[in-house]
Amino acid sequence: MSDTSKTVKSDSSEPQKAGGVIEDQTTVAPADDPTAAPIAVVDPRLLVREEGFKGYVTEFKRKVKGGELGQIPVVIGLIVIWTIFQLQNDRFLSADNLSNISYFMSATGMLAIGLVFVLLLGEIDLSVGSVSGLASALFAVFVTEHGMNPWLSLALAVVTGIAIGALHGWFFAKIGVPAFVVTLAGLLAWNGLMLWLLGSSGTINLPSDSGPIHLLGQNSFFMDQAIIGAYVLAGLAVLLSLVGNFGEQRRRRAAGVPFRATSEILLRVGLLALAAFVSAAVLNNASGVSNALVIFLAALVIVDFVLRRTTYGRKVFAVGGGIEAARRAGINVAVIRITVFAISGGFAAIGGMFFAGQTAGASLSAGAGDTLMLAIAAAVIGGTSLFGGRGTVWSALLGMLVIQSIRTGLDLLNMNTSIQYMITGAVLLGAVVIDSVSRRSQVAAGRG
């Protein structure tokens, strides 16, 4: 007797409920006996929630076996890194050191945000370091040599970065030049233009009290001199999470599809609140939350919304998942590619302004050295796939936490820079290996 079955619609016109959660229920009947009583088939996510804690454990095991690791490896890695460095030097987890980590990761983190978009397409942008350096040089020239308003100079520098990225995307999408080649050419060309702008001295100093430079300086904090600043941010994060989660629950309930139970939402938000307020307390024991970190986190929230909640974000994932399928779905692939590279260029320029804020000037070191490699490593280590179609913007935050923790920890131990490069390279290789193995596991499980 054949096990093949066919799906038929339920006779009930009303959605079924179980445990306060609407079931997305269908029924199936044996193909060789259509008159047999149909068997209800319930969305597996509902079964998980009905089983309580045991159901979530079972679902977690299923995801791990199927290669759906998410950001678990990087979180575990971060815990291991912090534990090792704390055992080697008890100052590592001090408030002052954690404050330094949070501040200095923001500049490269901005570059990593833009790179997440590019990596989601399965491509690479090698020019972000040079674009960030060029943006800081343009800003310095506008302010010091032409007496332009600092905020207008900032806007022009960012627009320049967006235009450069769009140019790279045009060559890639319209002419067909590989992104690797286009952005490699950009790396060289824009670095040369930066050197020309900086002149023989190679450095242009900026007034530390000038607009963006003061805002992004190491001694500038959110709600300066007010200890409640960090707690205000933590409370805002919790409030936004509550509104977002309950809003999604309401929309999914109205649509008659599975949604998270209220108890699950409260647990998630409670864990976020614990992490947010503990972080706020730690940073307040230092000097507070730097403006650079606040802007970085705000950018993450905005970009996460764009990628997960807008049509444009879904198109980016679709193009990264399969170009031909995206074309057949009516997506203008060329436009998505051009805009993605424009976004990468824009965030590179913003990152350049962060570097200028850290040093109160523009110099040859802005965007040079290992900046590009660290930005790429941050996105990949944080969980964005090099193969495209899978990732999250929060990988920029997690990846930068890992990288900046390694750099700061090795500095505390007076380790040579060569050791830092070797360890960061090993971590990057490990992240790519995990990504590759995860991808193969998903294919084997029929979800790749």
Side-chain angles (χ1 to χ4, degrees):
M1 183 174 182
S2 173
D3 292 332
T4 305
S5 59
K6 64 179 180 180
T7 303
V8 296
K9 293 184 178 180
S10 173
D11 292 335
S12 175
S13 60
E14 295 294 327
Q16 303 296 315
K17 295 187 178 181
V21 182
I22 297 177
E23 295 185 11
D24 186 14
Q25 181 172 298
T26 57
T27 58
V28 296
D32 55 354
D33 188 6
T35 62
I39 303 172
V41 177
V42 182
D43 190 307
R45 290 171 292 183
L46 301 178
L47 298 178
V48 168
R49 290 162 188 162
E50 287 177 358
E51 292 178 2
F53 180 74
K54 179 183 177 182
Y56 284 102
V57 172
T58 302
E59 178 68 1
F60 173 76
K61 291 179 179 178
R62 183 195 67 78
K63 287 184 175 181
V64 171
K65 289 180 180 179
E68 300 176 52
L69 300 178
Q71 294 168 327
I72 295 173
V74 69
V75 173
I76 294 175
L78 187 60
I79 293 173
V80 171
I81 289 169
W82 283 11
T83 302
I84 292 174
F85 282 127
Q86 179 64 17
L87 292 175
Q88 296 296 316
N89 190 315
D90 58 9
R91 288 185 298 154
F92 180 79
L93 292 180
S94 65
D96 287 334
N97 191 58
L98 292 177
S99 178
N100 286 334
I101 291 175
S102 68
Y103 174 73
F104 286 106
M105 74 177 184
S106 302
T108 309
M110 279 294 185
L111 275 65
I113 291 177
L115 281 168
V116 167
F117 279 85
V118 178
L119 291 173
L120 286 175
L121 296 186
E123 302 296 338
I124 194 67
D125 186 351
L126 300 178
S127 69
V128 292
S130 295
V131 173
S132 69
L134 175 60
S136 65
L138 283 172
F139 175 82
V141 169
F142 290 151
V143 172
T144 61
E145 297 185 10
H146 299 283
M148 191 178 293
N149 179 278
W151 294 106
L152 178 58
S153 302
L154 169 65
L156 289 176
V158 174
V159 169
T160 300
I162 294 173
I164 289 173
L167 179 64
H168 294 161
W170 183 82
F171 275 106
F172 169 53
K174 293 294 187 179
I175 307 301
V177 182
F180 179 89
V181 176
V182 173
T183 57
L184 178 60
L187 181 154
L188 298 172
W190 308 125
N191 186 61
L193 181 56
M194 178 190 71
L195 295 176
W196 181 75
L197 288 172
L198 293 177
S200 58
S201 65
T203 301
I204 299 178
N205 294 322
L206 291 162
S208 58
D209 60 349
S210 63
I213 301 303
H214 173 71
L215 177 69
L216 299 172
Q218 190 172 2
N219 296 319
S220 297
F221 301 94
F222 179 72
M223 297 182 68
D224 204 9
Q225 306 302 322
I227 196 170
I228 64 170
Y231 296 116
V232 169
L233 286 174
L236 181 61
V238 173
L239 178 61
L240 289 175
S241 180
L242 274 174
V243 172
N245 276 281
F246 279 115
E248 181 182 14
Q249 183 194 60
R250 184 178 63 255
R251 289 191 298 271
R252 295 181 69 85
R253 178 188 283 119
V257 297
F259 57 86
R260 286 197 178 104
T262 300
S263 58
E264 181 182 347
I265 292 176
L266 293 177
L267 176 61
R268 286 170 173 263
V269 175
L271 293 175
L272 171 63
L274 177 63
F277 281 100
V278 168
S279 299
V282 170
L283 292 175
N284 272 340
N285 284 334
S287 302
V289 182
S290 67
N291 288 328
L293 178 61
V294 173
I295 297 172
F296 177 46
L297 293 176
L300 287 170
V301 172
I302 294 171
V303 173
D304 178 65
F305 177 83
V306 170
L307 280 177
R308 295 196 303 115
R309 303 293 185 186
T310 67
T311 302
Y312 176 78
R314 289 189 286 271
K315 288 179 179 178
V316 171
F317 279 102
V319 173
I323 295 174
E324 187 57 36
R327 284 200 182 99
R328 291 177 181 273
I331 297 174
N332 191 324
V333 174
V335 169
I336 296 300
R337 285 173 162 176
I338 292 172
T339 54
V340 160
F341 277 90
I343 290 170
S344 179
F347 274 104
I350 296 173
M353 298 311 305
F354 276 59
F355 286 123
Q358 290 177 2
T359 60
S363 65
L364 299 177
S365 62
D370 58 359
T371 301
L372 168 64
M373 293 298 104
L374 291 180
I376 296 174
V380 176
I381 290 172
T384 300
S385 176
L386 282 170
F387 302 100
R390 190 176 74 232
T392 170
V393 70
W394 294 101
S395 62
L397 173 62
L398 290 174
M400 278 311 305
L401 272 175
V402 170
I403 290 174
Q404 194 61 47
S405 296
I406 292 174
R407 300 183 73 177
T408 305
L410 293 177
D411 286 342
L412 286 176
L413 299 178
N414 295 318
M415 291 286 187
N416 193 285
T417 305
S418 60
I419 304 297
Q420 173 192 311
Y421 286 162
M422 287 187 283
I423 293 177
T424 304
V427 173
L428 174 60
L429 178 61
V432 176
V433 169
I434 291 173
D435 181 33
S436 300
V437 172
S438 173
R439 190 178 180 87
R440 290 172 59 186
S441 299
Q442 288 184 345
V443 172
R447 290 187 294 274

